Amino acid sequence: MYTSIVIEDEVRPRAVLLDKIRSYTPLIEVVDACGDAESGLESILTHHPDLIFLDIHLRGNNGFWLLAELKKRDLHPYVIFITAFSTPAYMQEAIRLSAIDYIFKPVNPSDLVSAVERFIQKYEMKHAYFPAESTEPEKYVLFRISGKNYMKTSIPEICCCEADGVCSIIHLYNGEQKTLGESLKQIEAKLPEDFIRIDRRYIVNLPYVRKVNLLQKNCYIETRNGGIFITPSENGLILLKKKLDEGVLR
């Protein structure tokens, strides 16, 4: 679970936001809800939350004042701005302060979920464990399995992703297959450049591609206990064969 504080001065919008956070982002625990920047500052100093849901236009001091006060104390929590204002100056300041996201009221659940997913990925990357023999952090991605259920997956363990109707399947290096409640397009947006969308059905992690057979119209993907064959489109196979010939694939 990740702890959070909601800072919103209007009672009704605050209650609605709290309800949506609890309903749509089960990995987020709200430890406090505040009605102004001053009480929000006190709560942050008390609870040290991982994430702040912050309204910019508050009665009295605004959300930017609050972040300036935190900066004076060398505190830099993750922030998702929640506001009814689309003023360019506000948005530019939010970008300057490296906010996770900027969500307009009334809050759309899908926007909320997307913002929280971005927060979790940034948080996990920052707090990743560095093995003694490695200089690179372990990289993770958060996938939605169904409804409010999520799965944290190590990116280097993903060999390929396959569309399956309205769902998708990821094939892992340990031989496991996981069915996800996300489209291939949504998955593609979360993965780094080693992954390539070769056609409508497949995304492959290039280092795991071992053989491309144009005659048999298949591709061999390595796993720990052997491997799997996938059957991309003709254009997908040609693309992979080209990369294999160029030495892009090991």
Side-chain angles (χ1 to χ4, degrees):
M1 295 287 287
Y2 305 88
T3 58
S4 71
I5 290 175
V6 170
I7 304 174
E8 160 65 66
D9 60 345
E10 297 184 63
V11 175
R12 171 77 177 158
R14 184 168 67 239
V16 171
L17 177 58
L18 287 169
D19 182 64
K20 288 182 178 178
I21 292 171
R22 293 176 183 128
S23 298
Y24 296 100
T25 59
L27 296 179
I28 302 298
E29 177 188 5
V30 178
V31 296
D32 199 8
C34 307
D36 56 66
E38 290 79 9
S39 61
L41 175 60
E42 183 178 346
S43 182
I44 292 167
L45 296 177
T46 299
H47 297 286
H48 300 283
D50 301 315
L51 174 65
I52 301 171
F53 293 94
L54 178 61
D55 188 6
I56 294 177
H57 193 74
L58 300 165
R59 294 186 181 91
N61 290 309
N62 64 21
F64 296 140
W65 172 89
L66 172 59
L67 295 184
E69 290 299 308
L70 291 174
K71 186 176 181 181
K72 291 177 185 178
R73 296 163 172 80
D74 198 28
L75 296 175
H76 307 276
Y78 291 100
V79 177
I80 295 175
F81 283 116
I82 310 289
T83 183
F85 294 87
S86 57
T87 307
Y90 278 173
M91 298 179 71
Q92 290 170 7
E93 184 66 4
I95 293 170
R96 188 185 71 80
L97 294 169
S98 300
I100 294 292
D101 213 333
Y102 191 104
I103 302 178
F104 296 109
K105 301 176 186 176
V107 175
N108 184 300
S110 64
D111 292 339
L112 176 65
V113 170
S114 295
V116 167
E117 287 179 345
R118 278 192 286 276
F119 151 70
I120 292 175
Q121 290 187 41
K122 285 180 177 290
Y123 182 95
E124 291 297 334
M125 285 293 295
K126 181 178 178 180
H127 296 83
Y129 169 67
F130 287 78
E133 68 276 8
S134 174
T135 58
E136 294 293 327
E138 185 72 11
K139 298 178 181 180
Y140 293 93
V141 63
L142 193 71
F143 290 127
R144 186 182 298 110
I145 300 174
S146 63
K148 303 175 185 178
N149 299 314
Y150 292 80
M151 178 180 71
K152 178 181 172 183
T153 305
S154 171
I155 291 177
E157 285 289 307
I158 302 171
C159 295
C160 72
C161 310
E162 177 182 0
D164 183 29
V166 296
C167 300
S168 300
I169 298 172
I170 58 171
H171 298 267
L172 303 177
Y173 183 64
N174 64 9
E176 292 183 354
Q177 298 180 21
K178 302 290 185 180
T179 300
L180 307 177
E182 298 191 35
S183 68
L184 219 56
K185 182 177 180 180
Q186 291 172 313
I187 293 172
E188 182 181 14
K190 299 179 179 181
L191 297 174
E193 61 184 11
D194 277 349
F195 291 81
I196 182 170
R197 179 77 176 264
I198 57 174
D199 57 21
R200 292 183 178 181
R201 189 178 176 189
Y202 291 105
I203 297 172
V204 299
N205 190 353
L206 293 178
Y208 289 110
V209 177
R210 287 293 174 264
K211 295 179 182 178
V212 178
N213 192 318
L214 296 178
L215 292 177
Q216 296 183 9
K217 299 181 179 180
N218 61 34
C219 170
Y220 182 71
I221 306 290
E222 180 186 25
T223 64
R224 180 177 294 132
N225 298 319
I228 60 173
F229 284 95
I230 63 172
T231 55
S233 66
E234 182 178 354
N235 288 338
L237 285 168
I238 292 172
L239 175 61
L240 287 176
K241 184 67 166 58
K242 180 180 179 181
K243 290 188 176 294
L244 188 64
D245 293 341
E246 291 173 349
V248 175
L249 310 181
R250 68 185 184 186

